[in-house]
Amino acid sequence: MSSLNHCIKFELDVKDENIVFKDYFYKSIKLQKHKIYEAELIQPACPFCGSLDLLHNGHLITNIRYPTANASLPVIIRLAKQRVKCRDCDHWSMAQSELVNKYCSISNASKLKVLSALTEDRSITSIARENNVSINTVQRVLGNCSHRFIDSYEYLPAHLAFDEFKGVDRQLHFICLDGDSHQVVQILRTRYKKTLLKYFGRFSPQARANVRTVTMDLNFYYQDIVRACFPNAQIVIDRFHMIQMLTRSFNSLRVQVMKTFDKRSRQYQLLKSPWKLYLKKFDELEKVHPRYNWHYKDCLTQAQVVTEGINTSTALENSYNLMQSFIQAVETGNTHELKSLINCQDQIGTLMHKTLLTFKHNLTAVLNGAALPYSSGCLEGFNRKIKQIERTAFGYSNFTNLLTRIRLEEDLYKEKEPNSLLMVA
């Protein structure tokens, strides 16, 4: 019996010395084959006074679900917990073990395995099916982690990045990342100015004074928040958003000029079919090997196509040259060239002119975006990960569950008190 007990404990990785395994067998439960282990949980001493003089009064049999490598063959430990009465202090008690919590029939090992699976990009249904537990059990394990992420209002990173993403009920939630470590600082339910001012106002003046740069898109009220909360911070407009605004303005002008020509004309086809070439850098266009294109019935290189296309309109040519110079100035960090381009007086499209006016109103932040190495690239990548989490779960209706799942998959969860985590039914 002793060798059988040791072998089963070794196989199941059970380390509690008070558990004694007696037998194992197979049994069909609800048309599914299960492996059943019978064991007894012994109460060695009184938990109140420590006395060894105990009066045994039967057992409480609990069927405990235990993790297994083969999901098609669930494992159940049929544990008989001793009920005892202390002869010295007259207290009644029941044997307890770290294998399973009191009043619970799911082992702590199963819950830890569920928690580990929640850090991966998987649906709750597949996690429940693999661990032979219900979906509600997985939800309870997930919900029990929400209180572990406690905010600290004593420290803020030196470099922050602001943005928003679509979450519960397609609402926009605010997200803030550390610009250096790319770790999440905070995710808030709303992105309203009042909410953000209230949140950052909770930090100590020393923590807010520690912030040196805040990277963002051209959201107008984010800058007001930075000026109100972070006295030493520089506002940095993300380079990607600047170039995106400029290319969209040029693309709109290209379509506008294209529609002035007849659809069967050469100019219309040069501006329509190779539209992607106009958004590439001119230095990356093919200039040696011409290729035939059936749209405009000619054999031209990519550079010849773009050159002939922009020559159809003076405003289009000026806008294209401005866009190319702007991209090069941003890449090289040439703030003087960037400033002169923003103050350009050439004939350009209306939307392009409005874009330059926007840059002019945010001139210092735009120049910081070109001069400083910080960007919102890490934030855009993290937002892409959040979209994948939502897609896997077919959306979330509870913001707390979404926030907890994001934190878990961020792989920053450090469990310090495993017993408190596992106190779920």
Side-chain angles (χ1 to χ4, degrees):
M1 181 64 69
S2 176
S3 62
L4 176 64
N5 177 44
H6 291 319
C7 288
I8 295 177
K9 280 189 172 183
F10 180 80
E11 179 186 357
L12 299 180
D13 194 24
V14 176
K15 299 177 182 179
D16 194 336
E17 296 180 355
N18 296 325
I19 297 178
V20 178
F21 287 90
K22 298 180 178 180
D23 194 9
Y24 68 94
F25 54 89
Y26 294 97
K27 185 178 180 181
S28 179
I29 302 176
K30 294 182 180 180
L31 302 180
Q32 186 177 10
K33 189 177 180 181
H34 287 64
K35 183 185 287 187
I36 311 296
Y37 292 94
E38 287 189 342
E40 182 182 9
L41 178 58
I42 300 171
Q43 179 74 294
C46 176
F48 299 98
C49 65
S51 173
L52 300 178
D53 191 6
L54 303 177
L55 176 64
H56 296 276
N57 186 25
H59 299 83
L60 175 66
I61 298 177
T62 306
N63 292 324
I64 301 171
R65 294 184 175 271
Y66 200 80
T68 176
N70 185 4
S72 62
L73 186 61
V75 171
I76 292 179
I77 299 178
R78 186 165 292 173
L79 189 63
K81 302 178 181 179
Q82 282 188 355
R83 284 195 295 254
V84 298
K85 179 183 179 181
C86 180
R87 297 182 188 271
D88 294 336
C89 63
D90 291 335
H91 278 97
W92 290 89
S93 62
M94 184 177 296
Q96 300 297 329
S97 171
E98 294 182 356
L99 178 69
V100 63
N101 294 329
K102 193 175 182 179
Y103 309 121
C104 189
S105 61
I106 299 173
S107 65
N108 293 338
S110 295
K111 294 175 187 176
L112 287 175
K113 189 176 179 182
V114 168
L115 179 61
S116 176
L118 285 171
T119 62
E120 305 171 358
D121 184 25
R122 297 176 54 189
S123 66
I124 288 179
T125 304
S126 67
I127 295 173
R129 187 184 300 115
E130 178 185 338
N131 293 278
N132 293 298
V133 295
S134 66
I135 295 176
N136 291 335
T137 298
V138 181
Q139 290 281 13
R140 284 193 291 270
V141 173
L142 177 65
N144 197 59
C145 299
S146 59
H147 71 282
R148 311 299 293 177
F149 308 108
I150 301 174
D151 297 329
S152 173
Y153 297 103
E154 298 299 327
Y155 170 76
L156 277 172
H159 306 283
L160 298 176
F162 289 179
D163 203 0
E164 60 274 340
F165 66 95
K166 283 186 180 180
V168 177
D169 296 332
R170 301 190 64 80
Q171 292 182 358
L172 289 174
H173 308 306
F174 173 79
I175 181 172
C176 176
L177 251 65
D178 185 342
D180 289 326
S181 64
H182 301 170
Q183 295 179 358
V184 174
V185 176
Q186 185 55 275
I187 299 176
L188 299 178
R189 186 182 296 270
T190 62
R191 58 165 187 164
Y192 300 141
K193 185 176 180 180
K194 180 179 179 181
T195 305
L196 301 185
L197 288 174
K198 182 179 179 181
Y199 169 72
F200 287 112
R202 295 174 181 171
F203 286 88
S204 63
Q206 294 80 7
R208 289 187 277 114
N210 183 54
V211 179
R212 295 289 180 251
T213 63
V214 180
T215 308
M216 64 186 72
D217 54 17
L218 287 157
N219 193 318
F220 69 96
Y221 66 82
Y222 280 172
Q223 299 187 29
D224 296 337
I225 294 169
V226 173
R227 296 188 186 99
C229 298
F230 310 116
N232 300 327
Q234 289 182 297
I235 300 172
V236 180
I237 301 298
D238 182 48
R239 296 181 289 275
F240 166 77
H241 289 91
M242 290 191 291
I243 295 175
Q244 184 186 53
M245 282 189 65
L246 209 62
T247 53
R248 284 179 176 175
S249 302
F250 171 79
N251 213 28
S252 176
L253 179 61
R254 178 190 61 81
V255 174
Q256 184 180 347
V257 173
M258 179 189 70
K259 290 183 178 179
T260 61
F261 299 103
D262 184 79
K263 290 186 177 181
R264 292 170 293 181
S265 64
R266 179 183 175 89
Q267 294 87 347
Y268 185 91
Q269 295 300 331
L270 283 170
L271 291 173
K272 181 177 176 62
S273 59
W275 62 273
K276 290 184 180 179
L277 298 180
Y278 294 94
L279 304 180
K280 293 180 66 175
K281 289 191 241 182
F282 189 80
D283 295 338
E284 296 178 358
L285 296 177
E286 175 61 52
K287 302 178 179 64
V288 178
H289 304 288
R291 291 187 178 183
Y292 181 81
N293 191 295
W294 66 273
H295 288 97
Y296 38 84
K297 308 296 188 295
D298 201 353
C299 194
L300 300 173
T301 63
Q302 293 181 348
Q304 289 174 334
V305 170
V306 172
T307 303
E308 188 174 345
I310 62 176
N311 287 336
T312 56
S313 170
T314 304
L316 186 64
E317 183 178 7
N318 293 337
S319 298
Y320 181 81
N321 294 331
L322 174 65
M323 180 182 69
Q324 292 292 326
S325 301
F326 191 94
I327 294 174
Q328 185 176 5
V330 168
E331 288 183 346
T332 58
N334 191 342
T335 56
H336 297 288
E337 176 69 15
L338 207 60
K339 190 173 181 180
S340 63
L341 290 172
I342 292 174
N343 295 318
C344 175
Q345 301 296 326
D346 294 339
Q347 180 185 357
I348 53 179
T350 304
L351 190 57
M352 180 75 79
H353 181 66
K354 290 182 179 179
T355 301
L356 293 183
L357 281 178
T358 303
F359 292 161
K360 194 171 184 179
H361 291 322
N362 304 276
L363 183 60
T364 304
V366 169
L367 297 180
N368 288 338
L372 298 176
Y374 301 101
S375 71
S376 297
C378 58
L379 202 49
E380 298 297 334
F382 198 84
N383 286 348
R384 170 66 179 82
K385 184 176 182 179
I386 293 175
K387 290 179 182 178
Q388 181 59 40
I389 293 173
E390 295 176 332
R391 189 179 297 114
T392 302
F394 296 95
Y396 280 84
S397 59
N398 187 298
F399 176 74
T400 303
N401 289 342
L402 172 61
L403 179 60
T404 306
R405 193 69 189 272
I406 292 171
R407 292 286 197 173
L408 285 173
E409 293 201 25
E410 190 191 3
D411 200 22
L412 292 179
Y413 187 88
K414 301 298 182 183
E415 182 55 42
K416 297 180 180 178
E417 301 175 10
N419 290 334
S420 63
L421 165 68
L422 301 173
M423 290 296 294
V424 289

